[in-house]
Amino acid sequence: RTKASGRGGYQFFDPAADVRLQALADLKLSLRDALARDEFHLVYQPVIDAVQGTVSSFEALIRWQHPERGLVSPADFIPLAEETGWIIAIGGWVLREACKQAATWPEGISVAVNFSAVQFEGRNMEAEIGSALKDSGLAPGRLVIELTETILLQDDDAKNKALRALRGLGVRIAMDDFGTGYSSLGYLRRFPFDTIKIDQSLVRGLPDGAGGDAIVYAVISLAHSLGISVTAEGVETPAQFELLRQQGASHVQGYLFSRPVQASEIPSLLTRRFAESGDSQT
Ligand code: C2E
Ligand code: MG
Ligand code: MG
Ligand code: MG
């Protein structure tokens, strides 16, 4: 493509911005066919019971193996998939794949699936999730739906109804990335969450012996008093783990325990015990 040439007297041409736009357009083009070309796969990151030190569930995380660019981060393509609406097909694939995979695990082990707000807009997620459960044979109580608070920004009543319908199926609902963006403590009371996941941005600074510790502690106490369980995300150091455990986080997740792994590595993770000091063997 020739750049400035076709644009006559345009004076504020910014080549760097143009290159970025072109790269984005290219990515979008290849994303359109990625599902049909079977370029997605899931990896799974364990969520650890903070008291027992054992794996209690796995979070499914999508990966895109692009034919030329290699692995593309979901942070780069999920927003594109949302903007184009392709997230509906992609998210449907993730759900079915994760349920199918989880149905092969021991019965006490659950799977968490991330959903975009777009997937709920004007669509019957209850039917879609119900059919994924039925087809895979996975018990509803073994599926956790992870949502960010963006889903709650508008349409309180409709969204609330949709979430309650999901809970009616028997699936559990987690609020992801709590403590970022527009997270509000009020959401915890208004919506039927089973779990909140404290975002890694809050965990990263721990222990700081100051405000950060106090905020995390307040969130954990509030969640507990509402009967909501707490998973801390992005735990990378033994000191963070120790603090979170002392403060009552029931579950932890992060590189300290394990990075996301291929499905084939799950059986060996299930036999592991993650000691108080964490475990950096993986
Ligand atoms: P998330 O759901 O909050 O997932 C946690 C992210 O943090 C994952 O990044 C995970 O690999 C990373 N992580 C886990 N432990 C640590 C740690 O100790 N340190 C650090 N620095 N990072 C850690 P990932 O897989 O790149 O996913 C990024 C985001 O993309 C996810 O954030 C989620 O919002 C979105 N995403 C991933 N898979 C899907 C999907 O299937 N559907 C949708 N709608 N979104 C997805
Ligand atoms: Mg998540
Ligand atoms: Mg998160
Ligand atoms: Mg996130």
Side-chain angles (χ1 to χ4, degrees), residues 177-181 198-206 216 233-234:
D177 301 347
F178 190 81
T180 60
I198 298 184
D199 192 68
Q200 58 190 53
S201 60
L202 290 185
V203 170
R204 193 174 296 134
L206 301 180
V216 169
E233 295 192 274

PDB file of all heavy atoms in Angstrom, residues 177-181 198-206 216 233-234:
ATOM      1  N   ASP A 177     -11.106  -9.676  37.843  1.00  0.00           N
ATOM      2  CA  ASP A 177     -10.390  -8.393  37.822  1.00  0.00           C
ATOM      3  C   ASP A 177     -10.951  -7.397  38.827  1.00  0.00           C
ATOM      4  O   ASP A 177     -10.994  -6.191  38.563  1.00  0.00           O
ATOM      5  CB  ASP A 177     -10.432  -7.750  36.421  1.00  0.00           C
ATOM      6  CG  ASP A 177      -9.815  -8.644  35.354  1.00  0.00           C
ATOM      7  OD1 ASP A 177      -9.151  -9.628  35.723  1.00  0.00           O
ATOM      8  OD2 ASP A 177      -9.999  -8.351  34.169  1.00  0.00           O
ATOM      9  N   PHE A 178     -11.411  -7.886  39.966  1.00  0.00           N
ATOM     10  CA  PHE A 178     -11.988  -6.970  40.938  1.00  0.00           C
ATOM     11  C   PHE A 178     -10.912  -6.010  41.455  1.00  0.00           C
ATOM     12  O   PHE A 178      -9.801  -6.418  41.782  1.00  0.00           O
ATOM     13  CB  PHE A 178     -12.599  -7.735  42.118  1.00  0.00           C
ATOM     14  CG  PHE A 178     -13.403  -6.846  43.019  1.00  0.00           C
ATOM     15  CD1 PHE A 178     -14.699  -6.501  42.681  1.00  0.00           C
ATOM     16  CD2 PHE A 178     -12.842  -6.316  44.166  1.00  0.00           C
ATOM     17  CE1 PHE A 178     -15.440  -5.652  43.485  1.00  0.00           C
ATOM     18  CE2 PHE A 178     -13.571  -5.456  44.974  1.00  0.00           C
ATOM     19  CZ  PHE A 178     -14.871  -5.120  44.633  1.00  0.00           C
ATOM     20  N   GLY A 179     -11.298  -4.745  41.518  1.00  0.00           N
ATOM     21  CA  GLY A 179     -10.339  -3.745  41.981  1.00  0.00           C
ATOM     22  C   GLY A 179      -9.759  -2.931  40.843  1.00  0.00           C
ATOM     23  O   GLY A 179      -8.908  -2.074  41.050  1.00  0.00           O
ATOM     24  N   THR A 180     -10.223  -3.183  39.626  1.00  0.00           N
ATOM     25  CA  THR A 180      -9.790  -2.378  38.481  1.00  0.00           C
ATOM     26  C   THR A 180     -11.007  -1.640  37.946  1.00  0.00           C
ATOM     27  O   THR A 180     -12.135  -1.950  38.277  1.00  0.00           O
ATOM     28  CB  THR A 180      -9.243  -3.250  37.342  1.00  0.00           C
ATOM     29  OG1 THR A 180     -10.277  -4.148  36.917  1.00  0.00           O
ATOM     30  CG2 THR A 180      -8.042  -4.045  37.795  1.00  0.00           C
ATOM     31  N   GLY A 181     -10.757  -0.719  37.063  1.00  0.00           N
ATOM     32  CA  GLY A 181     -11.841  -0.062  36.328  1.00  0.00           C
ATOM     33  C   GLY A 181     -12.912   0.470  37.238  1.00  0.00           C
ATOM     34  O   GLY A 181     -12.646   1.191  38.183  1.00  0.00           O
ATOM     35  N   ILE A 198      -9.579 -11.053  43.005  1.00  0.00           N
ATOM     36  CA  ILE A 198      -8.867  -9.793  43.233  1.00  0.00           C
ATOM     37  C   ILE A 198      -7.798  -9.655  42.161  1.00  0.00           C
ATOM     38  O   ILE A 198      -6.962 -10.535  41.978  1.00  0.00           O
ATOM     39  CB  ILE A 198      -8.229  -9.758  44.629  1.00  0.00           C
ATOM     40  CG1 ILE A 198      -9.327  -9.861  45.691  1.00  0.00           C
ATOM     41  CG2 ILE A 198      -7.409  -8.485  44.816  1.00  0.00           C
ATOM     42  CD1 ILE A 198      -8.800  -9.729  47.111  1.00  0.00           C
ATOM     43  N   ASP A 199      -7.852  -8.553  41.436  1.00  0.00           N
ATOM     44  CA  ASP A 199      -6.962  -8.356  40.289  1.00  0.00           C
ATOM     45  C   ASP A 199      -5.493  -8.318  40.694  1.00  0.00           C
ATOM     46  O   ASP A 199      -5.137  -7.863  41.785  1.00  0.00           O
ATOM     47  CB  ASP A 199      -7.324  -7.058  39.575  1.00  0.00           C
ATOM     48  CG  ASP A 199      -6.620  -6.965  38.229  1.00  0.00           C
ATOM     49  OD1 ASP A 199      -6.972  -7.754  37.338  1.00  0.00           O
ATOM     50  OD2 ASP A 199      -5.696  -6.125  38.091  1.00  0.00           O
ATOM     51  N   GLN A 200      -4.659  -8.752  39.758  1.00  0.00           N
ATOM     52  CA  GLN A 200      -3.227  -8.801  40.055  1.00  0.00           C
ATOM     53  C   GLN A 200      -2.623  -7.421  40.296  1.00  0.00           C
ATOM     54  O   GLN A 200      -1.595  -7.310  40.960  1.00  0.00           O
ATOM     55  CB  GLN A 200      -2.462  -9.560  38.972  1.00  0.00           C
ATOM     56  CG  GLN A 200      -2.597  -9.005  37.593  1.00  0.00           C
ATOM     57  CD  GLN A 200      -2.013  -9.974  36.543  1.00  0.00           C
ATOM     58  OE1 GLN A 200      -2.352 -11.153  36.487  1.00  0.00           O
ATOM     59  NE2 GLN A 200      -1.127  -9.477  35.722  1.00  0.00           N
ATOM     60  N   SER A 201      -3.285  -6.385  39.809  1.00  0.00           N
ATOM     61  CA  SER A 201      -2.753  -5.039  40.073  1.00  0.00           C
ATOM     62  C   SER A 201      -2.804  -4.707  41.564  1.00  0.00           C
ATOM     63  O   SER A 201      -1.983  -3.932  42.062  1.00  0.00           O
ATOM     64  CB  SER A 201      -3.525  -3.985  39.257  1.00  0.00           C
ATOM     65  OG  SER A 201      -4.889  -4.002  39.618  1.00  0.00           O
ATOM     66  N   LEU A 202      -3.763  -5.296  42.274  1.00  0.00           N
ATOM     67  CA  LEU A 202      -3.822  -5.084  43.727  1.00  0.00           C
ATOM     68  C   LEU A 202      -2.862  -6.002  44.468  1.00  0.00           C
ATOM     69  O   LEU A 202      -2.353  -5.666  45.538  1.00  0.00           O
ATOM     70  CB  LEU A 202      -5.245  -5.319  44.258  1.00  0.00           C
ATOM     71  CG  LEU A 202      -6.304  -4.298  43.872  1.00  0.00           C
ATOM     72  CD1 LEU A 202      -7.620  -4.618  44.580  1.00  0.00           C
ATOM     73  CD2 LEU A 202      -5.860  -2.896  44.225  1.00  0.00           C
ATOM     74  N   VAL A 203      -2.638  -7.175  43.882  1.00  0.00           N
ATOM     75  CA  VAL A 203      -1.790  -8.169  44.541  1.00  0.00           C
ATOM     76  C   VAL A 203      -0.312  -7.825  44.371  1.00  0.00           C
ATOM     77  O   VAL A 203       0.503  -8.046  45.260  1.00  0.00           O
ATOM     78  CB  VAL A 203      -2.085  -9.581  43.969  1.00  0.00           C
ATOM     79  CG1 VAL A 203      -1.075 -10.606  44.451  1.00  0.00           C
ATOM     80  CG2 VAL A 203      -3.512 -10.004  44.318  1.00  0.00           C
ATOM     81  N   ARG A 204      -0.003  -7.236  43.223  1.00  0.00           N
ATOM     82  CA  ARG A 204       1.394  -6.979  42.853  1.00  0.00           C
ATOM     83  C   ARG A 204       2.173  -6.231  43.921  1.00  0.00           C
ATOM     84  O   ARG A 204       3.323  -6.552  44.200  1.00  0.00           O
ATOM     85  CB  ARG A 204       1.429  -6.189  41.536  1.00  0.00           C
ATOM     86  CG  ARG A 204       2.783  -6.118  40.884  1.00  0.00           C
ATOM     87  CD  ARG A 204       2.679  -5.445  39.518  1.00  0.00           C
ATOM     88  NE  ARG A 204       1.859  -6.216  38.589  1.00  0.00           N
ATOM     89  CZ  ARG A 204       0.907  -5.700  37.813  1.00  0.00           C
ATOM     90  NH1 ARG A 204       0.631  -4.421  37.849  1.00  0.00           N
ATOM     91  NH2 ARG A 204       0.232  -6.470  36.992  1.00  0.00           N
ATOM     92  N   GLY A 205       1.544  -5.224  44.541  1.00  0.00           N
ATOM     93  CA  GLY A 205       2.259  -4.386  45.498  1.00  0.00           C
ATOM     94  C   GLY A 205       2.408  -4.989  46.894  1.00  0.00           C
ATOM     95  O   GLY A 205       3.039  -4.390  47.759  1.00  0.00           O
ATOM     96  N   LEU A 206       1.825  -6.164  47.100  1.00  0.00           N
ATOM     97  CA  LEU A 206       1.830  -6.763  48.439  1.00  0.00           C
ATOM     98  C   LEU A 206       3.164  -7.443  48.735  1.00  0.00           C
ATOM     99  O   LEU A 206       3.776  -7.973  47.820  1.00  0.00           O
ATOM    100  CB  LEU A 206       0.715  -7.806  48.565  1.00  0.00           C
ATOM    101  CG  LEU A 206      -0.715  -7.325  48.335  1.00  0.00           C
ATOM    102  CD1 LEU A 206      -1.676  -8.497  48.496  1.00  0.00           C
ATOM    103  CD2 LEU A 206      -1.075  -6.210  49.281  1.00  0.00           C
ATOM    104  N   VAL A 216      -6.720  -4.736  50.355  1.00  0.00           N
ATOM    105  CA  VAL A 216      -6.956  -6.147  50.077  1.00  0.00           C
ATOM    106  C   VAL A 216      -7.655  -6.813  51.261  1.00  0.00           C
ATOM    107  O   VAL A 216      -8.610  -7.577  51.098  1.00  0.00           O
ATOM    108  CB  VAL A 216      -5.630  -6.866  49.725  1.00  0.00           C
ATOM    109  CG1 VAL A 216      -5.803  -8.376  49.707  1.00  0.00           C
ATOM    110  CG2 VAL A 216      -5.120  -6.380  48.370  1.00  0.00           C
ATOM    111  N   GLU A 233      -5.535 -13.172  42.314  1.00  0.00           N
ATOM    112  CA  GLU A 233      -4.878 -13.439  41.032  1.00  0.00           C
ATOM    113  C   GLU A 233      -3.457 -12.891  41.018  1.00  0.00           C
ATOM    114  O   GLU A 233      -3.144 -11.946  41.738  1.00  0.00           O
ATOM    115  CB  GLU A 233      -5.610 -12.706  39.906  1.00  0.00           C
ATOM    116  CG  GLU A 233      -7.011 -13.134  39.625  1.00  0.00           C
ATOM    117  CD  GLU A 233      -7.481 -12.518  38.301  1.00  0.00           C
ATOM    118  OE1 GLU A 233      -7.967 -11.373  38.294  1.00  0.00           O
ATOM    119  OE2 GLU A 233      -7.337 -13.187  37.275  1.00  0.00           O
ATOM    120  N   GLY A 234      -2.631 -13.444  40.166  1.00  0.00           N
ATOM    121  CA  GLY A 234      -1.303 -12.874  39.920  1.00  0.00           C
ATOM    122  C   GLY A 234      -0.361 -12.983  41.098  1.00  0.00           C
ATOM    123  O   GLY A 234       0.502 -12.131  41.292  1.00  0.00           O
TER     124      GLY A 234
END
